[in-house]
Amino acid sequence: MTESDKSTRDRLIETAMRLFHEQGYAATGVSTILREAGVKSGSLYYFFPTKEALLLAVLDRYMELLEPVILQPAFEATPDPVGRIFAVLEGYRQALIFTQCTMGCPIGNLALELSDTYPEVREKLSGLFNAWCKAIKGCLDAAGDRLPSHLNRETLSRFILTVMEGGMMQSRAQRSVEPYEASIAHLRDYFDQLIAAGAAKSSVASDVSP
Amino acid sequence: MTESDKSTRDRLIETAMRLFHEQGYAATGVSTILREAGVKSGSLYYFFPTKEALLLAVLDRYMELLEPVILQPAFEATPDPVGRIFAVLEGYRQALIFTQCTMGCPIGNLALELSDTYPEVREKLSGLFNAWCKAIKGCLDAAGDRLPSHLNRETLSRFILTVMEGGMMQSRAQRSVEPYEASIAHLRDYFDQLIAAGAAKSSVASDVSP
DNA sequence: ATACAATTTGATTGATCGATCAACACAATA
DNA sequence: TATTGTGTTGATCGATCAATCAAATTGTAT
C-alpha cells in the first residue's frame, strides 16, 4: 500500500495537484478529486474549508517542491552558473516531451486561469514566480564578470522566466516542442552575445566591434 | 440603439468574447452570457449547438480582428519594420495598463485554459498564433539586411510571441507592468545586438540554427 | 392576404456543482 | 470504564450548470 499509507490530507493535495495540472482548476470537479484520491467528501471538508483552500495548499506544495524537484537536479548537472540556468530550461523541455506537449507549466496554467478570481491565489502564484526568478538570479550573480557589469540581473531573470512560460504556452498550443526549442535557442543566442560583450568589457548595445 | 441593432448572433459573440476574456471559459456560465447580451437561451442554441461552438465563433472573430485591431494601428505608427514590431508590443503594454494588468492576452489565456480539452479549439488557437507570427515575420523580412542574413526569421517571430505572452502572464500575476516592460526591454536589447551584428555583416554569435 | 421560413420566447430538463452535517469509528488519556 | 480528540462516512442540500423544445412572434416572398 504505497499510496494509501500517505495521509488523507497528502493524498488530496497530490491528487488535486495532478488534476488541476491536467484539466485546470475550474474544470476539475471536487467529486473527481474525491474519487481519484479515494476520499469521501466529508474528509475533504474536514481538512479544507473550501475547494479554494485546497488549491492554496497545492500552491504551497509547489513552493516546497521548487528546490528539490526543479532546481536541485539541474544544479547537479553542472557547476557552471549559466549552464545551470539552461539545465533548468532543459528540464522543462523534457517534461514537454514526456507529456507530448499537453500539460505545460502548472504554475503558468493556473496563473492565466485564475489570477483575477482569488486575490490569495494570485499572491501565491506571484510568490512562486518570484522564488523561481530569485533562484535564477542567483545563477546570474554567480556568473560574475562573464556577464556585462551594468547588466540588470533582476530583469534578466524575469526575462528568462518570460521565455520559459511563453515558450511552453506556444508548444502546448502547437503540440510541438519546436516553439519552445526555438525560444530557448534565441535566449541562448542572447546569452552568448551578452557573454561576448562581458568578455569585451564594453557596452552591450552600442558595441560594434571591428 | 447602437447596441441592439446588431444581430443577436453578433451580440452573443461579442459578449462571450468579453466575458471569456474577463473570467475565462469555464468560469463563464451560459446564463451570464445570455443576461449580459439580452438574449434568451433558446436563441443562443438556435445559432450555436453548444457552448463550445460559441467559443469557436469567438476565436474566428479574433482572427478577423487581428489585422484591423492589432496590426493596422501599430503599422500606421511607423513605416520602420522593426519599429512596427515594437509598436505592436507597445499596444499590448497599453492594454495591460488600461486594465490594470488584470486581463492579459485573450488568446494566451484561452490557450492555457483549454488547449487540451477541445481539439478544434486548440487548432484555432494554434492558427491564431501562426497568423500573429506570420505578420511579425513579414516585418522581419521587410527589415532586409539590417538583420544578419543567416538569421532564422521564422524562429525569431516565434520568439517575439514567446516574449509577449510570457511577459503578459507575469505582469498579470504580479499586477504590475514591470515584468512585461523588463521583458520587452531585453528583447529590444537583443534586437539592437542583432542589428549591430547585421551592420557588421560578420556575426558569429547570432547564428541560431534550430 | 396568405403562406412559409426565420427567429425569439421562457419554462423546464436532468446532471453536476461545491458544500453541509449528524452519526460513527478508533485511538489515547483519564 | 468513561471521556475526549481526531478523523471518517455517505446521504443530502440548494444552486447552478449546459441544453431542450413547443409555442409564439416576426420577417419575407408571393
Side-chain angles (χ1 to χ4, degrees), chain B residues 14 28 32 34 38 40 60-61 63 67 76 90 95 99 101 134 155 171 186-187 189 200:
Chain B
E14 282 161 27
T28 301
T32 309
L34 296 172
K40 312 296 174 183
D60 286 338
R61 180 63 55 93
M63 185 66 99
E67 166 66 25
E76 278 171 4
E90 171 63 18
T99 64
C101 301
K134 194 178 173 185
T155 64
S171 276
H186 276 282
L187 181 67
D189 187 32

Side-chain angles (χ1 to χ4, degrees), chain A residues 99-119:
Chain A
T99 64
Q100 286 147 97
C101 301
T102 55
M103 291 175 56
C105 169
I107 313 304
N109 296 354
L110 292 170
L112 287 204
E113 184 184 352
L114 23 89
S115 58
D116 297 314
T117 0
Y118 313 104

Side-chain angles (χ1 to χ4, degrees), chain B residues 17-31:
Chain B
M17 183 160 50
R18 177 174 57 80
L19 290 171
F20 290 164
H21 190 194
E22 286 173 4
Q23 313 177 336
Y25 175 76
T28 301
V30 172
S31 63

Side-chain angles (χ1 to χ4, degrees), chain B residues 11 20 23 26 46 53 62 67 78 82 88 96 102-103 121 128 144 153 159 162 168-169 177 179 184-185 196 198:
Chain B
R11 251 181 307 140
F20 290 164
Q23 313 177 336
Y46 174 77
Y62 273 122
E67 166 66 25
T78 171
V82 175
V88 169
L96 270 177
T102 56
M103 291 175 56
V121 171
L128 278 160
R153 301 195 185 95
F159 183 64
T162 285
M168 294 201 91
M169 176 195 292
V177 273
I184 300 302

Side-chain angles (χ1 to χ4, degrees), chain A residues 102 112 116 126 172 174 189, chain B residues 102 112 116 126 172 174 205:
Chain A
T102 55
L112 287 204
D116 297 314
S126 169
R172 213 155 82 96
Q174 311 276 9
D189 186 34
Chain B
T102 56
L112 287 204
D116 296 314
S126 169
R172 213 155 81 95
Q174 313 275 10

Side-chain angles (χ1 to χ4, degrees), chain B residues 7 31 39 43 53 121 150:
Chain B
S7 77
S31 63
V39 170
S43 290
V121 171
H150 61 277

Side-chain angles (χ1 to χ4, degrees), chain A:
Chain A
M1 304 274 200
T2 347
E3 191 61 31
S4 59
D5 53 357
K6 286 183 179 175
S7 78
T8 302
R9 208 186 114 95
D10 277 352
R11 250 181 306 140
L12 282 168
I13 290 176
E14 282 161 28
T15 305
M17 184 160 50
R18 176 174 56 82
L19 290 170
F20 291 164
H21 190 193
E22 287 173 4
Q23 312 176 336
Y25 176 75
T28 301
V30 172
S31 63
T32 309
I33 300 173
L34 295 172
R35 181 171 11 94
E36 304 221 356
V39 170
K40 311 298 172 182
S41 74
S43 290
L44 190 159
Y45 289 98
Y46 173 78
F47 292 106
F48 308 101
T50 62
K51 183 188 178 188
E52 184 199 346
L54 174 58
L55 171 63
L56 292 172
V58 166
L59 294 178
D60 286 338
R61 180 63 54 92
Y62 273 122
M63 185 66 98
E64 293 166 12
L65 295 178
L66 173 61
E67 165 66 24
V69 173
I70 307 294
L71 300 177
Q72 220 189 67
F75 282 30
E76 280 171 2
T78 170
D80 174 50
V82 176
R84 284 177 168 180
I85 293 175
F86 283 91
V88 169
L89 297 174
E90 170 63 18
Y92 288 104
R93 181 176 156 273
Q94 292 297 336
L96 270 178
I97 292 170
F98 185 75
T99 64
Q100 286 147 97
C101 301
T102 55
M103 291 175 56
C105 169
I107 313 304
N109 296 354
L110 292 170
L112 287 204
E113 184 184 352
L114 23 89
S115 58
D116 297 314
T117 0
Y118 313 104
E120 275 191 87
V121 171
R122 207 215 86 239
E123 278 162 31
K124 281 206 190 291
L125 290 165
S126 169
L128 279 160
F129 281 152
N130 287 339
W132 197 95
C133 287
K134 193 178 173 186
I136 297 297
K137 183 175 174 296
C139 293
L140 294 174
D141 291 337
D145 54 7
R146 287 173 55 196
L147 296 169
S149 57
H150 66 279
L151 180 77
N152 188 330
R153 301 196 185 96
E154 167 66 28
T155 63
L156 182 54
S157 72
R158 297 271 169 210
F159 184 63
I160 295 165
L161 177 56
T162 286
V163 174
M164 186 275 272
E165 292 289 356
M168 293 202 89
M169 177 195 291
Q170 275 186 81
S171 276
R172 213 155 82 96
Q174 311 276 9
R175 280 284 189 281
S176 158
V177 274
E178 281 181 28
Y180 184 80
E181 288 173 347
S183 297
I184 299 302
H186 276 283
L187 181 67
R188 175 85 251 184
D189 186 34
Y190 181 43
F191 257 85
D192 288 344
Q193 295 185 30
L194 287 176
I195 288 169
K201 291 193 194 284
S202 61
S203 162
V204 175
S206 59
D207 183 28
V208 185
S209 52

